[in-house]
Amino acid sequence: MRRIGTLQDSTQARQFCDYLVTLSIDATIDSDGEGPDEMWNLWIRDEKDVERARQEFAEFQRSPTDGRYRVEAEASRLRDERVAEQQRREAVQLETQRSMPRES
């Protein structure tokens, strides 16, 4: 994982992270503390996405209120789909393991 930047506003950090998810960029945020000096770190999971995420972050910083960043519902839907797909894969893998003949 690579940190691409920080934001002081948690709402903007979540909004930007959601936007990246809609671009198929696996991103997450975390806080480096509490209180008025709290900063939110923006993390990109896959190295291949870092450059694009940095470019998007630069654009976001220029215009964080742009309507294209209001994608919370879409990001939530995509995350739910990913979780469901992962659960499906795990179920198939478990079923495959159960159906394999055991060695004596």
Side-chain angles (χ1 to χ4, degrees), residues 1-3 26-30 42-47 50:
M1 286 214 333
R2 183 93 81 90
R3 188 178 75 169
D26 194 0
T28 188
I29 59 172
D30 69 10
L42 303 164
W43 297 92
I44 306 304
R45 185 169 309 278
D46 196 330
E47 187 68 30
V50 169

Short mmCIF file of all heavy atoms in Angstrom, two decimals, residues 1-3 26-30 42-47 50:
data_model
loop_
_atom_site.label_atom_id
_atom_site.label_comp_id
_atom_site.label_asym_id
_atom_site.label_seq_id
_atom_site.Cartn_x
_atom_site.Cartn_y
_atom_site.Cartn_z
N MET A 1 0.84 -1.18 0.00
CA MET A 1 0.00 0.00 0.00
C MET A 1 0.88 1.24 0.00
O MET A 1 1.94 1.24 0.59
CB MET A 1 -0.91 0.01 1.22
CG MET A 1 -1.99 -0.99 1.07
SD MET A 1 -3.61 -0.74 1.71
CE MET A 1 -3.69 0.26 3.04
N ARG A 2 0.39 2.25 -0.69
CA ARG A 2 1.15 3.49 -0.80
C ARG A 2 0.26 4.67 -0.44
O ARG A 2 -0.86 4.78 -0.91
CB ARG A 2 1.64 3.62 -2.23
CG ARG A 2 2.51 4.82 -2.47
CD ARG A 2 3.99 4.50 -2.30
NE ARG A 2 4.55 3.87 -3.45
CZ ARG A 2 5.11 4.54 -4.46
NH1 ARG A 2 5.18 5.84 -4.46
NH2 ARG A 2 5.61 3.87 -5.47
N ARG A 3 0.76 5.53 0.43
CA ARG A 3 0.02 6.74 0.79
C ARG A 3 0.24 7.78 -0.30
O ARG A 3 1.37 8.06 -0.68
CB ARG A 3 0.47 7.28 2.14
CG ARG A 3 -0.42 8.42 2.63
CD ARG A 3 0.02 8.90 3.96
NE ARG A 3 1.23 9.69 3.73
CZ ARG A 3 1.79 10.44 4.64
NH1 ARG A 3 1.31 10.49 5.85
NH2 ARG A 3 2.87 11.13 4.37
N ASP A 26 -8.51 0.50 -5.76
CA ASP A 26 -8.71 0.05 -4.39
C ASP A 26 -8.02 1.03 -3.45
O ASP A 26 -6.79 1.14 -3.43
CB ASP A 26 -8.15 -1.36 -4.22
CG ASP A 26 -8.60 -2.02 -2.94
OD1 ASP A 26 -9.35 -1.41 -2.16
OD2 ASP A 26 -8.19 -3.18 -2.72
N ALA A 27 -8.84 1.76 -2.70
CA ALA A 27 -8.32 2.82 -1.83
C ALA A 27 -8.94 2.72 -0.45
O ALA A 27 -10.05 2.20 -0.28
CB ALA A 27 -8.64 4.18 -2.44
N THR A 28 -8.23 3.24 0.53
CA THR A 28 -8.72 3.29 1.89
C THR A 28 -8.17 4.53 2.57
O THR A 28 -7.22 5.15 2.08
CB THR A 28 -8.34 2.00 2.67
OG1 THR A 28 -8.99 2.00 3.92
CG2 THR A 28 -6.84 1.89 2.84
N ILE A 29 -8.79 4.90 3.68
CA ILE A 29 -8.32 6.04 4.46
C ILE A 29 -8.13 5.61 5.90
O ILE A 29 -8.74 4.65 6.36
CB ILE A 29 -9.30 7.24 4.40
CG1 ILE A 29 -10.68 6.86 4.92
CG2 ILE A 29 -9.37 7.81 3.00
CD1 ILE A 29 -11.64 8.03 5.08
N ASP A 30 -7.26 6.33 6.60
CA ASP A 30 -7.15 6.17 8.04
C ASP A 30 -6.73 7.49 8.64
O ASP A 30 -6.25 8.38 7.95
CB ASP A 30 -6.23 5.02 8.44
CG ASP A 30 -4.76 5.27 8.14
OD1 ASP A 30 -4.37 6.40 7.79
OD2 ASP A 30 -3.97 4.32 8.26
N LEU A 42 -4.63 8.97 2.74
CA LEU A 42 -5.24 8.30 1.60
C LEU A 42 -4.27 7.23 1.11
O LEU A 42 -3.14 7.53 0.73
CB LEU A 42 -5.51 9.30 0.48
CG LEU A 42 -6.39 10.48 0.87
CD1 LEU A 42 -6.28 11.59 -0.16
CD2 LEU A 42 -7.82 10.04 1.04
N TRP A 43 -4.72 5.98 1.12
CA TRP A 43 -3.87 4.85 0.77
C TRP A 43 -4.38 4.14 -0.48
O TRP A 43 -5.58 3.94 -0.62
CB TRP A 43 -3.84 3.83 1.91
CG TRP A 43 -3.25 4.35 3.16
CD1 TRP A 43 -3.91 4.94 4.21
CD2 TRP A 43 -1.87 4.34 3.53
NE1 TRP A 43 -3.03 5.29 5.19
CE2 TRP A 43 -1.77 4.95 4.81
CE3 TRP A 43 -0.71 3.89 2.90
CZ2 TRP A 43 -0.55 5.10 5.46
CZ3 TRP A 43 0.49 4.04 3.56
CH2 TRP A 43 0.57 4.63 4.83
N ILE A 44 -3.47 3.76 -1.34
CA ILE A 44 -3.78 3.00 -2.55
C ILE A 44 -3.15 1.62 -2.40
O ILE A 44 -1.96 1.49 -2.11
CB ILE A 44 -3.21 3.71 -3.81
CG1 ILE A 44 -3.71 5.15 -3.89
CG2 ILE A 44 -3.56 2.92 -5.07
CD1 ILE A 44 -5.21 5.31 -3.87
N ARG A 45 -3.95 0.59 -2.61
CA ARG A 45 -3.49 -0.77 -2.37
C ARG A 45 -2.52 -1.26 -3.46
O ARG A 45 -1.50 -1.85 -3.17
CB ARG A 45 -4.68 -1.73 -2.29
CG ARG A 45 -4.27 -3.14 -1.94
CD ARG A 45 -5.44 -4.03 -1.61
NE ARG A 45 -6.33 -3.48 -0.61
CZ ARG A 45 -6.14 -3.52 0.71
NH1 ARG A 45 -5.06 -4.08 1.19
NH2 ARG A 45 -7.03 -3.02 1.54
N ASP A 46 -2.83 -1.01 -4.71
CA ASP A 46 -2.06 -1.59 -5.81
C ASP A 46 -1.13 -0.53 -6.42
O ASP A 46 -1.57 0.54 -6.82
CB ASP A 46 -3.02 -2.13 -6.88
CG ASP A 46 -2.35 -3.07 -7.84
OD1 ASP A 46 -1.14 -2.92 -8.11
OD2 ASP A 46 -3.04 -3.96 -8.34
N GLU A 47 0.11 -0.87 -6.50
CA GLU A 47 1.13 0.05 -7.03
C GLU A 47 0.79 0.56 -8.42
O GLU A 47 1.06 1.70 -8.76
CB GLU A 47 2.49 -0.66 -7.04
CG GLU A 47 3.65 0.24 -7.39
CD GLU A 47 3.96 1.30 -6.35
OE1 GLU A 47 3.71 1.08 -5.16
OE2 GLU A 47 4.44 2.38 -6.76
N VAL A 50 -1.21 3.88 -8.36
CA VAL A 50 -0.71 5.03 -7.60
C VAL A 50 -0.66 6.30 -8.45
O VAL A 50 -1.15 7.35 -8.03
CB VAL A 50 0.66 4.73 -6.96
CG1 VAL A 50 1.31 5.99 -6.41
CG2 VAL A 50 0.50 3.69 -5.86
#
